[in-house]
């Protein structure tokens, strides 16, 4: 295929059976979040670019290098969302949600777009399930969120999920950390990449997540945020860690943890899995507290915390099972009157909640049975002129090989009995 007619690099088609795995994953995720009192929001895929520069930070890889940004037909700069928090906070502020409720718990699931270097587990269009809680400053919610994530990943079948937790301080103590970090790095500037040298004055915290080897070596021994926390931030972090320990959640306090987005304050966390399939891309979830962002985007001063999980990455960590059957029941019809009867019966069985198909091309019973097999059907209803004239149909159980002729009005009860057995 001509290159320009193929899918965009890094933006993958998701076809069956993988699309089924993706759908089931999202379903389990949604169910768990609903069980924790979250409600779903849907925000646009594109936002004004200024929203991301303000929320995520002008001097971040995400905004400087990774966004899909383009002018719309009115000449305004739009960007495909690289993450979901900015849009969620924008919606929270725009609709003055704080006036209607003191605490808001939202989740979202959908595609995000980042023009990153491609590798296994890193794509340019990928899905996130994310959640945000507005209105709670207390550390209990931080620990509850981390606990929920570890539980969610294990419910989804991800092996060995464990959290790394840190604190990035607040508007009070962050400047001291910045100062310390800059004093440490400035004399070493010659051994930093060009981006980091530029960011040293603009946004020194971003130097901590530069992936280049030279920068990682230069940073060795740099101060940690944990060294500079004020008493309130220290108490907050201690309380989060104490809750996690009390709940026996596998976690590790890690002062080297930094996040690639500027909005975080206090608690920052990631959840990793040791599943071999993940290689270096083993961060399944990233999140943290962002107590200043609602105000920064024009809203009231409302504390908030959230996370996002990379769905494709989590799927890589889950052992693939054989794909489930596409249908429960397949109708094999011999002749046109039987096909028409089968079409009507398929409709009523579908209305009863069963997954049902038939082959409108007709053809030999052998060919139709082959199709039933291909779809993984457990039961086949077989009808021809004889059965129609008797008001019956044959029901064949493809698992046991048993076949019986039944009155047509007894079919549904027998199908249900067999499928539940
Ligand atoms: P993030 O750490 O940028 O955080 O992304 C969260 C997760 O999305 C990552 O841990 C990873 O699993 C997945 N992810 C990121 N980029 C890619 C990619 N190119 N390909 C595949 N998966 C990827 C956020 O997005 C924040 N909005 C999280 C948050 C919500 N913080 C507070 N509230």
């Amino acid at each position: 295929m001509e290159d320009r007619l193929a899918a965009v690099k890094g933006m993958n088609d998701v076809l069956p059976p993988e699309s089924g795995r993706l759908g089931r994953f999202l379903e389990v995720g949604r169910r768990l979040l609903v069980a924790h009192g979250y409600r779903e929001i849907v925000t646009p895929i594109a936002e004004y670019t200024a929203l991301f520069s303000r929320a995520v930070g002008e001097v971040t890889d995400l905004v400087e290098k990774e966004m899909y940004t383009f002018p719309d037909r009115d000449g305004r700069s739009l960007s495909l969302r690289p993450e979901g928090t900015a849009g969620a906070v924008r919606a929270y502020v725009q609709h003055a949600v704080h006036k209607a409720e003191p605490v808001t718990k939202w989740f979202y699931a959908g595609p995000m777009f980042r023009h990153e270097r491609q590798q296994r587990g890193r794509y340019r269009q990928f899905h996130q399930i994310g959640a945000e809680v507005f209105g709670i400053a207390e550390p209990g919610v931080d620990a509850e969120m981390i606990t929920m994530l570890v539980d969610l990943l294990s419910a989804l079948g991800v092996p060995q999920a464990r959290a790394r937790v840190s604190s990035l301080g607040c508007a009070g103590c962050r400047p001291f950390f910045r100062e310390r970090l800059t004093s440490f790095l400035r004399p070493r500037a010659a051994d930093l990449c060009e981006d980091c040298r530029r960011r040293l004055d603009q946004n020194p915290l971003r130097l901590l997540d530069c992936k280049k080897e030279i920068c990682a070596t230069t940073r060795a021994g740099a101060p940690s945020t944990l060294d500079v926390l004020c008493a309130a931030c220290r108490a907050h972090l201690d309380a989060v860690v104490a809750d996690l320990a009390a709940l026996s959640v596998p976690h590790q306090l890690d002062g080297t943890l930094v996040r690639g987005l500027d909005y975080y304050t206090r608690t920052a966390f990631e959840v990793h899995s040791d599943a071999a399939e993940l290689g270096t891309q083993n961060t399944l979830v990233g999140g943290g507290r962002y107590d200043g962002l609602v105000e920064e985007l024009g809203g009231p001063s409302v504390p908030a915390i959230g996370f996002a999980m990379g769905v494709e990455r989590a799927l890589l960590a889950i052992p693939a099972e054989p794909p489930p059957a596409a249908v429960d029941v397949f109708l094999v019809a011999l002749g046109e009157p039987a096909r028409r009867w089968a079409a009507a019966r398929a409709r009523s069985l579908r209305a009863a909640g069963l997954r049902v198909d038939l082959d409108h091309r007709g053809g030999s019973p052998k060919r139709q049975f082959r199709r039933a097999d291909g779809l993984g059907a457990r039961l086949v209803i077989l009808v021809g002129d004889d059965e129609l004239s008797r008001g019956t149909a044959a029901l064949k159980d493809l698992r046991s090989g048993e076949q019986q002729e039944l009155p047509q009005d007894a079919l549904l009860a027998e199908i249900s009995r067999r499928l539940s057995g």
Side-chain angles (χ1 to χ4, degrees), residues 143 146-148 150-151 161-163 243-252:
I146 296 167
T147 307
M148 173 180 79
V150 171
D151 289 348
R162 61 199 159 70
D243 264 14
L244 291 175
L247 292 161
S248 308
V249 175
H251 69 280
Q252 176 197 342

Side-chain angles (χ1 to χ4, degrees), residues 62 82-85 108 114 116 121-124 126-128 130-132 259 261 263-264 270 283-290 305-313:
L62 206 60
E83 58 100 53
T85 309
Y108 48 86
R114 297 184 189 181
E116 292 191 83
R122 188 177 281 285
Y123 312 103
R124 293 182 175 172
F126 58 98
H127 291 78
Q128 284 186 343
E132 318 290 345
R259 309 269 306 118
L261 309 100
Y263 47 63
Y264 292 111
E270 289 183 348
T283 310
L284 303 181
V285 183
R289 193 163 263 293
Y290 48 93
I305 180 167
F307 75 85
M309 174 183 302
V311 175
E312 284 80 0
R313 248 184 232 184

